[in-house]
Structure formats: C-alpha cells, structure tokens
Amino acid sequence: MTTHHREDPGTLRATAFLDHASPEVRGFVADALPASATTPAARAVALYYAVRDRVRYEVYGADLSRTGLRASAVARTGSGMCLHKSVLYAAGLRSLGIPARLVLADVRNHLASGRLKSLIGGDVFHMHCLTSVRLDGRWVTATPVFNKALCRLYGLAPLDFDGTADSLYHPFDLRGRRHMEFLRHHGEFDDLPYERVVAELRTAHPGLLSADGSGFAEGSLVREAEPPAAG
C-alpha cells in the first residue's frame, strides 16, 4: 500500500483536527521520544509505538464530535479508535516536521467481539483510518491502532513498524484464521474529512451509535474478548 505523490505543504500544516501546535500534542510527542531518536525515521518509529501502546484502543464510547476527534483531545484522554489514534499520530509526525496524511478505507473483519460485530451489522467496518508518512524520500503506511495488550487478548500479533516498510494489518491471526482484508480505499487526506466520515459511519453502522448520536455505544473490547481456544 506504499503511495507516491508530490510534496505538499498541506502534509505538514496544523489543521482543525491535526492541531500539532497544541500543548497536549507537543507534550505527548516530547514524552514519546527517547534521546537516542535523532533521525526522522527513528522519531517516527518511537512515536508509532507510543501511540500504539500508550493510547488505549477502544471503539466503545468513542467520541465522534469535532472536539473529541482532535489530536489534542486524544492526547489528553489517552483513548480512542482508529480515527482518533491515527489523527494523533499524524499530528505528532507533523509537529516533528515529518510529512503525514490520513488514509481511509473500508475493511472486512475489523478486530471485534461478537457483540461489536452485531452492532456494526456484519464484518465490514467503514472508514477505517491509518496514516501515510514520508520517510527517506518515500511514503509508507503505518497503523498505530491496536495496542499490544488488546492484540494478545484477541490472538493477534502486535503490528510493528520500522520506518521502511508498510505497517498494515496481518491478513491472518496467530491461529491462521483470516483476520483483515482491505475492501475499498477512500483516499489520503491532509485533514480528517469530518462530515464525510461521520455521515458514512452513521449510515453504515447505525446500531453502533450512542442514543444521542454523538459517539459509539458503551461497552468494553477487553471484557468481551473470548478466551483463546485450547490446542
């Protein structure tokens, strides 16, 4: 899923959602980077793991408001789904002078419990979000979404990123069962296309919405994880 496109100032600027000049994003990035991370690639990798494992992945209760989807809000709350975590990662990259964009796609078999699949309305999740980052003269895709602890509960290998190759979801879980399949690529964006994303989620997954429509229903992926089968 490596992409190639021309340099664009839009891939570095602060936006309504990628508010990388905010103290929350700056503070998160400062805490994430070890002194040894001196190159853009090393900084991008260190930030990837900080977003992946320090920000809790949770679909349930996810805030879909404009405020809740800002990178500063995600850094402050320390929780979110793919949209929130990718927004924070892209904003953090830009704060370091590393070009980044948001990637949107529909995927089959998004990490989900039985209850979540019933609320989603099947095994296809719309508007899954990841990040495209420019390092060493080329664009690579990174997905700092499912934290390590949650992956273990659902029998998945944590997704790594080394700054040189695309970091996409493994097509199979640790038991060889099909896990993730990309179905439709919506494109890459300099900022979160909020109206489009929220409209699509409300149309595709009405059962997942909270009563007031401002976010997703309450629950817990950790509590709903099924224990791995014996053998």
Side-chain angles (χ1 to χ4, degrees):
M1 200 167 177
T2 303
T3 57
H4 303 275
H5 41 68
R6 293 175 295 175
E7 288 290 353
D8 183 340
T11 63
L12 284 170
R13 66 185 175 92
T15 70
F17 295 97
L18 279 61
D19 53 346
H20 64 67
S22 64
E24 293 91 345
V25 173
R26 296 280 182 175
F28 183 92
V29 171
D31 289 342
L33 299 185
S36 59
T38 58
T39 67
R43 290 172 178 171
V45 169
L47 184 60
Y48 173 92
Y49 286 105
V51 174
R52 191 193 76 175
D53 293 328
R54 297 185 191 179
V55 179
R56 183 174 61 95
Y57 177 82
E58 183 61 87
V59 173
Y60 289 120
D63 188 347
L64 297 181
S65 69
R66 288 182 176 275
T67 299
L69 278 164
R70 289 177 183 157
S72 55
V74 182
R76 185 170 57 252
T77 62
S79 178
M81 55 178 288
C82 57
L83 291 165
H84 303 77
K85 297 187 71 169
S86 295
V87 161
L88 176 58
Y89 185 50
L93 290 168
R94 290 186 185 186
S95 78
L96 296 170
I98 301 172
R101 304 186 82 189
L102 298 173
V103 181
L104 291 169
D106 297 342
V107 295
R108 186 182 303 281
N109 203 17
H110 195 271
L111 182 151
S113 64
R115 175 178 179 247
L116 185 55
K117 287 180 181 178
S118 69
L119 294 175
I120 288 172
D123 62 358
V124 175
F125 189 88
H126 291 241
M127 290 295 173
H128 173 61
C129 192
L130 46 158
T131 309
S132 182
V133 51
R134 185 168 178 83
L135 294 168
D136 297 323
R138 58 192 292 268
W139 289 88
V140 291
T141 305
T143 314
V145 177
F146 294 159
N147 51 284
K148 184 163 54 176
L150 196 64
C151 284
R152 288 173 177 166
L153 283 175
Y154 281 82
L156 303 172
L159 193 60
D160 293 322
F161 180 56
D162 64 4
T164 66
D166 289 340
S167 166
L168 295 171
Y169 286 122
H170 301 299
F172 301 97
D173 67 11
L174 293 176
R175 295 171 58 198
R177 297 172 302 181
R178 183 170 293 280
H179 169 232
M180 180 68 73
E181 177 186 359
F182 283 80
L183 301 177
R184 181 185 178 191
H185 184 242
H186 293 285
E188 299 192 11
F189 304 86
D190 290 345
D191 196 14
L192 184 69
Y194 179 79
E195 298 292 348
R196 176 179 175 181
V197 168
V198 172
E200 177 84 3
L201 290 174
R202 288 174 175 167
T203 299
H205 309 303
L208 188 55
L209 292 174
S210 59
D212 63 4
S214 65
F216 286 148
E218 294 297 327
S220 169
L221 283 173
V222 170
R223 290 198 303 268
E224 292 177 7
E226 298 177 4

